[in-house]
Amino acid sequence: MKNIILIGPVYPYKGGIAHYTSLLYRALSSRHNVEMISYKMQYPKFLFKKEQKDYSDDMFRIEHTKFLIHTANPFNIVKVGRKIRQKKPDMVVIQWWHPYFAPCYWILERVIGRKIKKVFICHNVFPHERFPADKLLTKMVLKHGDAFIVHSQSDVRDLLAIKKTADFRYNPHPTYNTFKIGDLTRQQARDRLHISYDAKILLFFGFVREYKGLKYLLQAMTDIKDEISDIKLLVVGAFDNNKQSYMNLIKESGISDCVEVIDDYIPDREVEKYFVASDLVVLPYESATQSGIVQIAFGFDKPVIVTNVGGLPDVVEDGKTGYIVEPRNGQALAEAISKYFMQHKQEEFSQNVKKESYRFSWDRMVEKIESFDCPH
């Protein structure tokens, strides 16, 4: 049994990485002594203008979390680093997903010292939306890490590009199965969403960003609705400032009758109904490393259509648990979606998703972390 300090966002912080960190804590703490350290300030408001926290839903709460780190206060970071060093844990496991955290983690690394193993969980080695100096900032931190978990082969390549001798383990992003709250049936979910039981439902879920390629899925709907009369697309997630361009595309494409937009952050307890009600989850991304949305879908035994970018093809078996299509191609999306419904693949693909459960289990993730030797 190891003594582990886990660093990252957890409830009440929003978002997939907060969910991930909570589930990782639960899995690790079933076998080790784990202390959870989170942020007293994650992002300054001028960088992240939306509300960062959601106190209304505590299903991912981790009791006794210590909210210690002010990511923009070097004096605070030094103080936290000293506390960690004094505890002499076997390892510190740190969530890495954006170079904003580079100065904070750079200071932590030096204060904690070399005697304590530092393991980085790389959700993205480089950010989804690249910017000048992101590689420099990333290298500044990760080159001093002792070990790494990466969730995609593209992240393996990126990691080795900045640290050729990196000690890493590749492990697919584990499944988010905690969103299953009860025994909600397909009929009940659709009743709550006022959707016909016989409709064929596509789901695009999560924050709407340009790189997620929603416009190509909307373009595909023009062809799909001509082949499948009872098709409906649910677009569920808060938009950036470009919502109107998508609404204009929906209107101009004549698909307003088969697209429903829910422009809002979805609380954790409300996630279930959208996935249970859907038949197929679609990720038409233009770029990606990996995505927690696939793993939420798999947690509900839902097949997916993804694009051939980043780590998405690593977790989808083409023709078995979903389809992989080329990015920026509305026609390819339309053909895959039509094929799925017209060949009645729902049950077959769903069963194949269930068979993959261990590959995407949190137990397997913990085993990979355990495989790193500790320095003492």
Side-chain angles (χ1 to χ4, degrees):
M1 180 174 284
K2 294 181 172 68
N3 294 315
I4 298 172
I5 289 178
L6 178 59
I7 295 176
V10 290
Y11 168 90
Y13 286 107
K14 294 180 178 180
I17 296 176
H19 299 149
Y20 179 109
T21 308
S22 299
L23 294 173
L24 178 59
Y25 173 89
R26 292 173 185 174
L28 278 172
S29 60
S30 68
R31 294 157 68 160
H32 302 282
N33 296 318
V34 186
E35 180 176 333
M36 185 70 237
I37 294 179
S38 191
Y39 315 111
K40 64 192 302 182
M41 196 285 291
Q42 181 176 222
Y43 297 114
K45 290 184 178 179
F46 75 90
L47 284 180
F48 196 94
K49 296 180 181 179
K50 295 183 179 181
E51 179 55 53
Q52 298 179 44
K53 298 179 180 180
D54 178 13
Y55 291 94
S56 66
D57 189 349
D58 64 353
M59 65 183 290
F60 285 92
R61 179 195 292 271
I62 299 300
E63 297 294 341
H64 310 301
T65 297
K66 296 180 179 178
F67 295 91
L68 301 179
I69 302 172
H70 189 300
T71 61
N73 184 334
F75 299 103
N76 162 273
I77 298 164
V78 169
K79 184 177 178 181
V80 174
R82 286 173 177 167
K83 286 183 178 180
I84 293 173
R85 187 176 64 200
Q86 290 169 1
K87 291 177 181 291
K88 298 181 179 179
D90 295 299
M91 67 171 63
V92 178
V93 179
I94 304 169
Q95 309 302 305
W96 173 264
W97 71 97
H98 198 281
Y100 163 77
F101 294 91
C104 172
Y105 290 161
W106 184 84
I107 295 170
L108 271 181
E109 284 178 317
R110 275 148 186 76
V111 178
I112 291 172
R114 295 182 179 179
K115 292 184 179 180
I116 298 172
K117 196 172 197 74
K118 294 168 285 295
V119 178
F120 283 89
I121 308 291
C122 296
H123 298 267
N124 316 298
V125 172
F126 300 125
H128 288 300
E129 296 162 309
R130 301 295 299 270
F131 62 90
D134 61 4
K135 186 173 182 178
L136 178 65
L137 289 167
T138 298
K139 186 175 182 179
M140 183 175 81
V141 173
L142 296 191
K143 73 176 182 178
H144 296 294
D146 299 306
F148 307 86
I149 297 286
V150 288
H151 293 320
S152 71
Q153 294 297 337
S154 62
D155 271 327
V156 170
R157 293 189 292 271
D158 288 342
L159 176 63
L160 294 178
I162 60 176
K163 186 168 184 173
K164 293 181 180 179
T165 60
D167 182 10
F168 71 91
R169 306 288 185 271
Y170 165 71
N171 193 75
H173 193 304
T175 299
Y176 287 145
N177 51 16
T178 307
F179 290 103
K180 279 188 176 180
I181 299 171
D183 296 320
L184 188 67
T185 67
R186 185 172 184 267
Q187 180 67 66
Q188 290 169 334
R190 292 192 170 203
D191 286 345
R192 292 182 188 181
L193 296 171
H194 308 291
I195 296 172
S196 165
Y197 185 81
D198 296 324
K200 294 176 175 60
I201 303 300
L202 305 174
L203 177 63
F204 176 100
F205 190 89
F207 291 115
V208 181
R209 302 283 189 267
E210 184 70 21
Y211 74 87
K212 293 188 177 181
L214 174 59
K215 62 184 178 183
Y216 299 104
L217 179 54
L218 295 176
Q219 291 169 6
M221 289 299 293
T222 306
D223 294 329
I224 296 167
K225 75 173 218 172
D226 291 337
E227 289 199 37
I228 305 173
S229 59
D230 53 352
I231 195 77
K232 186 178 183 67
L233 168 63
L234 300 181
V235 178
V236 183
F239 283 71
D240 275 344
N241 299 323
N242 57 353
K243 178 183 177 181
Q244 194 55 50
S245 65
Y246 292 105
M247 300 309 293
N248 291 342
L249 178 58
I250 291 170
K251 184 177 180 180
E252 292 165 3
S253 301
I255 54 175
S256 299
D257 59 334
C258 59
V259 178
E260 182 178 350
V261 174
I262 298 95
D263 174 19
D264 200 2
Y265 170 78
I266 306 302
D268 298 335
R269 294 185 185 277
E270 297 297 313
V271 170
E272 180 180 32
K273 64 185 178 184
Y274 293 103
F275 284 85
V276 173
S278 69
D279 295 300
L280 183 64
V281 181
V282 187
L283 292 82
Y285 292 9
E286 297 179 32
S287 63
T289 49
Q290 42 79 35
S291 173
I293 303 302
V294 172
Q295 300 307 336
I296 297 176
F298 283 177
F300 287 98
D301 301 326
K302 298 295 178 178
V304 298
I305 291 180
V306 301
T307 46
N308 188 20
V309 295
L312 297 182
D314 297 347
V315 294
V316 178
E317 288 195 64
D318 191 31
K320 291 186 176 181
T321 61
Y323 292 117
I324 302 169
V325 303
E326 290 306 307
R328 301 181 179 87
N329 191 328
Q331 183 178 352
L333 283 167
E335 289 173 357
I337 292 167
S338 296
K339 180 180 179 181
Y340 176 79
F341 287 112
M342 296 179 75
Q343 294 186 5
H344 307 288
K345 293 291 186 179
Q346 295 95 315
E347 182 61 28
E348 175 190 339
F349 280 20
S350 180
Q351 290 301 317
N352 290 337
V353 170
K354 290 179 182 179
K355 293 175 184 176
E356 291 278 273
S357 59
Y358 174 71
R359 182 183 173 211
F360 300 116
S361 70
W362 287 97
D363 284 343
R364 189 170 188 258
M365 177 69 177
V366 170
E367 289 167 4
K368 292 294 180 74
I369 294 174
E370 291 171 340
S371 71
F372 294 120
D373 293 329
C374 294
H376 65 276

